[in-house]
Amino acid sequence: MSKERTIKTMFIISCCAAILINLDHGILPACTSELMKDQDLNEVEIGLLGSLVFFGLVSGSLVAGFVFRKYPSKLIICCTTVGNILSLFLFPISNTYLVLSFSRMLTGFCQVFAVIYFPVWIDRFGK
């Protein structure tokens, strides 16, 4: 694959990941009352669901440097974007609080790689 094509591919992946991250930040606030009714959750459980994504971000930050040094960045971004899509898909089809919680932590974990890499990518390849 040519360098120009690789840059365009990474740009498209970056845009998709940014859209997913922004959609995720609006999911929980938009459906709080429905989620409380459907899953029979209280305010504490909803608040925990809202904060678990940040726990995933922090835990992902701890390993991201090692992962970026060991594996190609394109592979990492592709895999974590797919992981983010799967975790966002898992959230609305979940029936248990444990799976909802896992989905939120996985979402944050997958997002951190994009959050760390995209500013570096823009600085290096932006025109």
Side-chain angles (χ1 to χ4, degrees), residues 1-96:
M1 188 181 288
S2 71
K3 183 177 179 180
E4 191 68 29
R5 185 176 165 115
T6 301
I7 291 172
K8 286 181 184 179
T9 302
M10 284 303 293
F11 178 75
I12 291 169
I13 293 169
S14 301
C15 288
C16 290
I19 290 168
L20 288 172
I21 290 170
N22 285 310
L23 284 173
D24 171 61
H25 289 293
I27 284 176
L28 205 56
C31 67
T32 300
S33 58
E34 291 87 4
L35 192 58
M36 288 176 73
K37 264 192 293 184
D38 292 345
Q39 297 288 332
D40 194 32
L41 302 175
N42 60 36
E43 290 84 8
V44 173
E45 292 169 325
I46 288 291
L48 184 59
L49 280 179
S51 62
L52 283 174
V53 71
F54 299 106
F55 179 77
L57 282 164
V58 170
S59 59
S61 296
L62 296 174
V63 299
F66 170 76
V67 173
F68 276 117
R69 276 186 262 127
K70 187 160 175 79
Y71 301 102
S73 56
K74 184 177 176 183
L75 176 66
I76 296 166
I77 297 302
C78 288
C79 290
T80 57
T81 300
V82 169
N84 196 12
I85 291 168
L86 294 175
S87 68
L88 291 174
F89 180 74
L90 180 64
F91 188 78
I93 63 170
S94 303
N95 289 329
T96 64

